[in-house]
Amino acid sequence: MIKIRTATLDDAEKLVAIYAPYVEQTAITFEYVAPSIEEFRKRIGAVLEKLPYLVAEIDDEIVGYIYASPFKARPAYNRTVETSIYVKMDNRKHGVGRALYDEMEKKLKGMGILNMNACTTWIDTPNQYLTHNSPEFHQHLGFTQCAHFHKCGYKFGIWFDILWFEKMLGEHEEG
């Protein structure tokens, strides 16, 4: 059974352990070096000041996490967030990502957030660093692709594109 809870600063070490393989072995993130545990604590703390940061546990082991961050700093964007999600490599495709997103959507709706945006990396022909799993996952969850930026990230000696996806969480009323 997957349990979802709010992340704490004490989770940083386990979250870095989930994130580091994505940094070191994939183009899913454009970071070149995995952040330190202290840096990750700072990142968690910064998100929790205003937005949700959730972890998924199976048998008391953290197997994934998701967080929301401001899409842009301008006040007109205050009902829009960007989401980021990472699932432990050997726990992918077992419902962890869906469980995290389902709970995130509930939390964001409760805060009056109307738009969720997600950025994924893309390459036309999958390779050892990148598959099409993330874009397909987001589409499966009801996200719609809304932008495609070409050759904007360089990692492992290869240029990668990014795709932006959006999902509306509620009605956009005037006034």
Side-chain angles (χ1 to χ4, degrees):
M1 179 163 167
I2 302 168
K3 175 185 167 189
I4 308 296
R5 65 167 173 81
T6 299
T8 69
L9 301 181
D10 292 335
D11 294 326
E13 184 174 0
K14 292 178 182 172
L15 300 188
V16 169
I18 292 170
Y19 184 59
Y22 286 99
V23 172
E24 296 161 358
Q25 302 167 20
T26 79
I28 290 172
T29 175
F30 285 165
E31 286 198 78
Y32 287 171
V33 177
S36 68
I37 294 167
E38 187 53 38
E39 170 59 25
F40 226 80
R41 275 192 193 99
K42 289 178 187 175
R43 293 180 186 188
I44 294 167
V47 169
L48 287 174
E49 287 179 15
K50 294 183 179 179
L51 291 164
Y53 201 126
L54 306 173
V55 298
E57 295 179 324
I58 297 176
D59 297 329
D60 296 321
E61 176 190 354
I62 296 176
V63 294
Y65 65 93
I66 189 171
Y67 62 92
S69 53
F71 179 64
K72 295 279 185 187
R74 305 281 195 277
Y77 292 109
N78 69 358
R79 294 188 182 163
T80 301
V81 298
E82 178 182 351
T83 56
S84 297
I85 185 169
Y86 292 91
V87 174
K88 196 173 177 184
M89 294 275 193
D90 58 352
N91 286 94
R92 292 179 297 180
K93 298 189 177 192
H94 291 98
V96 173
R98 174 176 284 284
L100 283 164
Y101 255 119
D102 286 349
E103 187 61 25
M104 179 59 76
E105 285 187 34
K106 287 179 201 169
K107 299 260 188 211
L108 293 173
K109 283 180 185 177
M111 297 173 71
I113 301 296
L114 297 175
N115 297 25
M116 276 193 321
N117 297 334
C119 181
T120 69
T121 311
W122 178 262
I123 194 165
D124 289 336
T125 304
N127 60 32
Q128 69 191 66
Y129 304 112
L130 191 67
T131 67
H132 292 164
N133 287 346
S134 186
E136 290 168 356
F137 168 72
H138 283 86
Q139 288 172 324
H140 182 72
L141 293 181
F143 282 78
T144 302
Q145 183 181 328
C146 56
H148 185 153
F149 296 103
H150 299 89
K151 298 185 186 328
C152 54
Y154 189 75
K155 191 171 179 181
F156 305 120
I158 302 167
W159 284 101
F160 293 92
D161 300 354
I162 59 169
L163 306 178
W164 276 97
F165 291 87
E166 64 184 359
K167 185 173 183 179
M168 304 305 162
L169 300 179
E171 294 298 317
H172 293 71
E173 299 174 4
E174 300 291 324

